[in-house]
Amino acid sequence: MQSYPSDWALVDVETSGFRPSEHRVLSIALLTIGADGQVTGEFSSLLNPGCDPGPVHVHGLTAQRLAGSPRFEQIASDVATFLDKRVMVAHNARFDYDFLAQEFARAGQRLPVDQRLCTLALNRRLSPPTPNMRLGTLAAHYGVVQRRAHDAADDTRVLAGVLRGSLAAAARLGLSLPLVPCPPREAVPRTRYPARVPKAACAHRNPGRLTAGGPLVQGMKVAITGDTRRDRAELTAQATTAGLNMMSTVSRHTSVLVTNVPGSATAKMRRARTEGIPIIDEATFLRLLQDVRPGVLHEPMSAPRSAPALQAPPPPHQIRPATPLSGRRVLVLGGSHPRAAATRARVTELGGAAAVNLSNSVTDVVLLPGGEADRRMPRIQSLVLPVHEESWLDAPTSAPPAEHGTTPKPRLAIRAS
C-alpha cells in the first residue's frame, strides 16, 4: 500500500432500498487504514431509519432488531471524524457515497469527503481472472475469507483485504488509481415539501379518530408529513380511492397523522402532539389501507324552507340516465400502483364503487396485467364473479349485475351482465 501513500476510510452501508432520496441507511461500518497499511480505527452501528427496513431477506435487519438504535443524525459527527481528510473507499463507491451524502444533508451537515476510490472500478482496470467483480468473488481471488455477506462490519474487513490486494496488483502494473473528486454538494433542507397533490372531495362523513389497533374507516381525515417511501401522489391517490379524506393540514378533526420520522419537529407533527392525534408510520398505513371499513355518506342538502312540500317529477327528457356502473362494486386486481389507482378512479367516474377488498358486496372484477396471479383469484372463481379485461370499462353495460352462479367463460371468466 506504500506505493499509494494515503489515509483510507473504508465504508460499507446496508440500506432499506436503492434510492438515496427515498430510502435510508440501516447500518454503517467504517475502518480507517494508514499509509503503512495498518488499521487505525474502527466504527460500526445499527441505525433506526424511522421507516420500513425494506428487503430483510437480504440484510437481515428487521424493524425489531433496529428498534432502540440511534438515528443517523445522532452518529453523524462520529462518522465525519472517521471520513475527514481521508480517501473514502467502498465497493461500488458511488452507491455508499450518495447514501451518506443524503443522510448528512438530512442531518444538516456536509459529508467531509474530498476524494473517493471504488474497488469495483479499480478491479475493472486490473481485469483479474474472476467470473465477476462482486466483493465476495474478489475476496476469494485475493485470499480474503468472507464470513457474513451483507453485514456492514464484515464487509469492511473484507474490503480492506481486497483493497490491499488491488493496490499491490496496481503497483506491479504501474497503474494510476481511479480517484474521483467529491466537491461539496448543496445541502437539501431537512424538511422537503413534496409537490402539492390536488384535493379530492370525500363523499363520507368523518367517523372520528383512528383507535389503537382499529381499522381505517371511510371519511377519516388523514394527513402525511415528511418523506414517504412510496411516491406521495400515488399514496394519496390510493387512500382517496379507498374513501379516505386526505388533508394538507392537521387540525383537531384530523383522524390520524402518517409519518416515517415520529421524532421530527414539523408543524403537522407539533399540532398532532398538541391535539393528541394518533400517529402511525407508512408501513402501518399501507397495511390498514388493505381493509378500509365502509363509512357513512354525507346526507343530501335539505330543500329550502320556501320550497313546496311536494314537487312534480321532472319531464322524462330531463331525468338523468343511470350511470354505466351504478349499483356495482368493482375490485381491481394487478397492475402498477398508478395504473390500478387510475382504473379505480375510472370505476368511480362511471358511477361504480371501487372495492379494495374481496367481500360479498363485490359484483365485478377488472383484471390488469399480473392480476391473474393474485391469491384471491380462486375465491373469485368459486363465487363465479364476472372477471373483465380493462377494456370493459370503455363500454360497460348499464344493466344490473348478473346473479352469482352463472357459469363463467373459460380463462378470464368474462361474461355479459
Side-chain angles (χ1 to χ4, degrees), residues 129-164:
T130 56
N132 56 61
M133 295 292 176
R134 297 192 184 105
L135 183 63
T137 303
L138 293 174
H141 172 72
Y142 291 116
V144 183
V145 178
Q146 186 177 38
R147 299 192 183 99
R148 298 187 304 277
H150 295 290
D151 177 88
D154 190 61
D155 281 350
T156 53
R157 181 190 61 80
V158 172
L159 182 62
V162 170
L163 176 64
R164 290 189 178 98

Side-chain angles (χ1 to χ4, degrees), residues 9-311:
L10 284 62
V11 182
D12 185 77
V13 298
E14 296 299 324
T15 65
S16 63
F18 297 102
R19 295 185 291 276
S21 61
E22 299 179 25
H23 301 134
R24 304 299 299 269
V25 174
L26 308 178
S27 71
I28 184 172
L30 297 105
L31 187 71
T32 56
I33 299 178
D36 58 358
Q38 298 300 310
V39 174
T40 58
E42 295 182 62
F43 176 85
S44 65
S45 177
L46 295 178
L47 297 168
N48 184 353
C51 66
D52 189 293
V56 174
H57 66 283
V58 175
H59 49 61
L61 301 174
T62 62
Q64 292 76 15
R65 185 178 174 189
L66 297 174
S69 299
R71 298 187 300 275
F72 188 90
E73 56 265 31
Q74 295 174 293
I75 65 159
S77 59
D78 295 323
V79 174
T81 299
F82 277 79
L83 293 171
D84 193 31
K85 296 181 175 61
R86 293 184 171 94
V87 177
M88 174 183 155
V89 181
H91 199 66
N92 190 13
R94 177 65 181 270
F95 177 89
D96 298 74
Y97 176 81
D98 284 349
F99 265 95
L100 286 179
Q102 192 69 34
E103 290 288 3
F104 269 86
R106 290 190 183 103
Q109 300 184 36
R110 184 186 72 85
L111 175 62
V113 173
D114 298 321
Q115 290 187 104
R116 67 175 186 260
L117 173 65
C118 178
T119 50
L120 174 61
L122 176 56
N123 277 274
R124 283 174 175 159
R125 289 190 180 185
L126 296 171
S127 297
T130 56
N132 56 61
M133 295 292 176
R134 297 192 184 105
L135 183 63
T137 303
L138 293 174
H141 172 72
Y142 291 116
V144 183
V145 178
Q146 186 177 38
R147 299 192 183 99
R148 298 187 304 277
H150 295 290
D151 177 88
D154 190 61
D155 281 350
T156 53
R157 181 190 61 80
V158 172
L159 182 62
V162 170
L163 176 64
R164 290 189 178 98
S166 302
L167 292 180
R172 288 193 298 270
L173 296 173
L175 297 179
S176 60
L177 301 183
L179 296 170
V180 176
C182 302
R185 289 186 175 183
E186 182 180 353
V188 297
R190 293 188 64 179
T191 302
R192 303 193 309 280
Y193 295 93
R196 181 175 293 273
V197 179
K199 181 73 173 73
C202 182
H204 299 85
R205 299 173 59 183
N206 184 3
R209 294 181 178 178
L210 177 70
T211 58
L216 291 170
V217 180
Q218 290 178 325
M220 279 187 169
K221 294 189 173 184
V222 180
I224 302 175
T225 186
D227 294 334
T228 53
R229 295 183 65 235
R230 180 171 296 179
D231 180 78
R232 177 72 68 89
E234 293 181 15
L235 191 61
T236 300
Q238 182 178 353
T240 300
T241 301
L244 300 177
N245 194 354
M246 300 304 293
M247 311 299 295
S248 60
T249 59
V250 172
S251 71
R252 61 188 178 88
H253 301 292
T254 301
S255 304
V256 62
L257 177 65
V258 180
T259 180
N260 287 327
V261 187
S264 66
T266 65
K268 292 179 185 177
M269 184 66 73
R270 291 195 299 271
R271 183 66 186 273
R273 293 196 188 101
T274 300
E275 299 289 347
I277 293 166
I279 299 171
I280 61 175
D281 60 21
E282 182 181 356
T284 302
F285 184 55
L286 288 171
R287 176 175 57 79
L288 293 176
L289 274 179
Q290 302 305 310
D291 186 23
V292 178
R293 304 300 169 82
V296 178
L297 292 171
H298 285 293
E299 295 180 0
M301 294 180 62
S302 58
R305 291 184 179 180
S306 58
L310 295 175
Q311 295 181 353

